[in-house]
Amino acid sequence: MNLRLGDCVMDLSTPRVMGVLNLTPDSFSDGGRWTSLDAALRRAVQMIEEGAALIDVGGESTRPGAQPVSEQEELDRVVPLIERLRAETACVISIDSMKPAVMRAACAAGARLINDVNALRAPGALEAALSTGAAVCLMHMQNEPRSMQTAPAYTDVLAEVGAYLTKRAEACLDAGIARDAIVLDPGFGFGKTLQHNLALLAGIEMLCELGYPLLVGLSRKSMFGQICAAAGDQRLPASLAAATAAVLGGAVI
C-alpha cells in the first residue's frame, strides 16, 4: 500500500510513525513547550532522528474544550516552521488544520498532507485540499472540540465511525481527490468515552477493511489516564501498547 503525497509516494508496507508538534499554548500534551521557532525546529529534528517519517504541525489546539483561534494567528504559528522544515529536512510535513486558507498556505510552504479533524467539512475545504495536490487524512469527530466530550453517544460506535469515514472518503473522491491520497483516522478521544475508544481499538481490523490506510492517534490520551490512573507524562507505556495493538490490527501510521 502506497500513499501519494503530491510529488512523492510513501511506502506503507511498513508502519510509519508520525511525530506531532503542537505550536500552541494549550494543547493537552505539549502545549507551550515549542512556541518559539527555533525550539519547534529542534524538536522536529529530534523526532525525525528518533524515527518519525512524518511531522504533523498544528497551530490550533483540538483538545476537549479548546477554544478556536483566528486564521491569521494559526498561519503565523505554522507557516514559518513548515518553511524551515521543508528547507532543512527531507521529512514529510503534515498540516493539522480545519481552515481552508491555512491548508493552502501550509501546502504552499511545503506540507504534503492535510490532517483535518473535521474531515474537510468546512465550506471550501474540499476545494482547497484538491487545489494543493496534497494527501488528506479524514478524522471522525462527534460534535466539535469545545463540546465533543460533553455526552458522546453511539448505538454502534464501530459501525457509525466506519460509515462516517466512508462517506467523507466518497466526498473526496467525488471532488477529484485520488483514492491513493486518502487516509482515515477513527479519532480516538474525539467525542468518545473510554468504552467507545476501546471498542474502536478492538475493531481496528474492520476499519482497515474500508480500503484506505488507517492512521491512529493514541499517544498519552486521557483514556490511558482512566485505565492506568496515570498523569499525562506517565502514559507512554500504555500509549505504546495501544499503538502496537493498532498496528497488529492493520493501522499503518
Side-chain angles (χ1 to χ4, degrees), residues 18 56-58 60 62 74 94-103 107 113-129 134-141 143 145 164-165 168 172 177 181-187 190 215:
M18 172 184 275
D56 187 55
V57 177
E60 180 178 44
T62 52
E74 191 174 346
S94 165
I95 175 62
D96 180 350
S97 182
M98 298 180 278
K99 298 184 179 72
V102 176
M103 297 173 191
C107 290
L113 173 65
I114 295 168
N115 181 18
D116 183 5
V117 300
N118 202 35
L120 301 179
R121 289 184 297 155
L126 273 170
E127 294 80 3
V136 298
C137 180
L138 311 171
M139 196 196 79
H140 176 275
M141 173 173 58
N143 298 320
Y164 173 90
L165 292 175
R168 294 311 302 156
C172 288
I177 295 173
I182 298 173
V183 176
L184 304 181
D185 177 354
F190 283 79
L215 178 151

Side-chain angles (χ1 to χ4, degrees), residues 2-253:
N2 291 328
L3 177 63
R4 186 166 301 280
L5 296 144
D7 58 357
C8 69
V9 173
M10 178 173 285
D11 178 7
L12 296 179
S13 61
T14 298
R16 303 289 183 169
V17 173
M18 172 184 275
V20 176
L21 191 59
N22 295 310
L23 309 180
T24 53
D26 56 343
S27 289
F28 82 96
S29 180
D30 60 352
R33 296 184 65 186
W34 320 113
T35 52
S36 79
L37 181 57
D38 287 342
L41 184 63
R42 286 195 301 271
R43 176 58 178 157
V45 169
Q46 179 187 7
M47 288 192 286
I48 294 167
E49 291 173 346
E50 291 174 348
L54 308 97
I55 297 294
D56 187 55
V57 177
E60 180 178 44
S61 175
T62 52
R63 64 174 174 77
Q67 297 299 309
V69 302
S70 71
E71 180 180 287
Q72 190 58 55
E73 186 173 4
E74 191 174 346
L75 287 167
D76 291 344
R77 289 174 177 176
V78 302
V79 170
L81 177 63
I82 292 171
E83 290 174 340
R84 290 280 299 274
L85 282 172
R86 185 62 188 269
E88 299 178 33
T89 76
C91 190
V92 172
I93 305 162
S94 165
I95 175 62
D96 180 350
S97 182
M98 298 180 278
K99 298 184 179 72
V102 176
M103 297 173 191
R104 291 180 188 271
C107 290
R112 290 185 170 128
L113 173 65
I114 295 168
N115 181 18
D116 183 5
V117 300
N118 202 35
L120 301 179
R121 289 184 297 155
L126 273 170
E127 294 80 3
L130 179 64
S131 73
T132 67
V136 298
C137 180
L138 311 171
M139 196 196 79
H140 176 275
M141 173 173 58
Q142 192 175 82
N143 298 320
E144 59 177 353
R146 281 174 290 179
S147 60
M148 64 188 179
Q149 289 304 107
T150 302
Y154 303 85
T155 301
D156 182 334
V157 66
L158 192 59
E160 291 172 50
V161 168
Y164 173 90
L165 292 175
T166 297
K167 183 177 180 180
R168 294 311 302 156
E170 289 172 350
C172 288
L173 295 174
D174 290 343
I177 295 173
R179 187 180 185 90
D180 64 355
I182 298 173
V183 176
L184 304 181
D185 177 354
F188 286 96
F190 283 79
K192 282 99 176 171
T193 65
L194 172 60
Q195 293 306 315
H196 295 146
N197 288 324
L198 293 176
L200 287 172
L201 186 57
I204 283 289
E205 290 185 28
M206 292 181 62
L207 295 175
C208 292
E209 290 173 1
L210 297 176
Y212 298 89
L214 196 71
L215 178 151
V216 295
L218 287 159
S219 183
R220 299 180 176 86
K221 291 202 168 175
S222 61
M223 60 185 285
F224 304 119
Q226 293 174 265
I227 294 169
C228 306
D233 61 357
Q234 298 175 332
R235 297 174 188 167
L236 182 58
S239 301
L240 293 173
T244 300
V247 167
L248 292 173
V252 291
I253 302 176

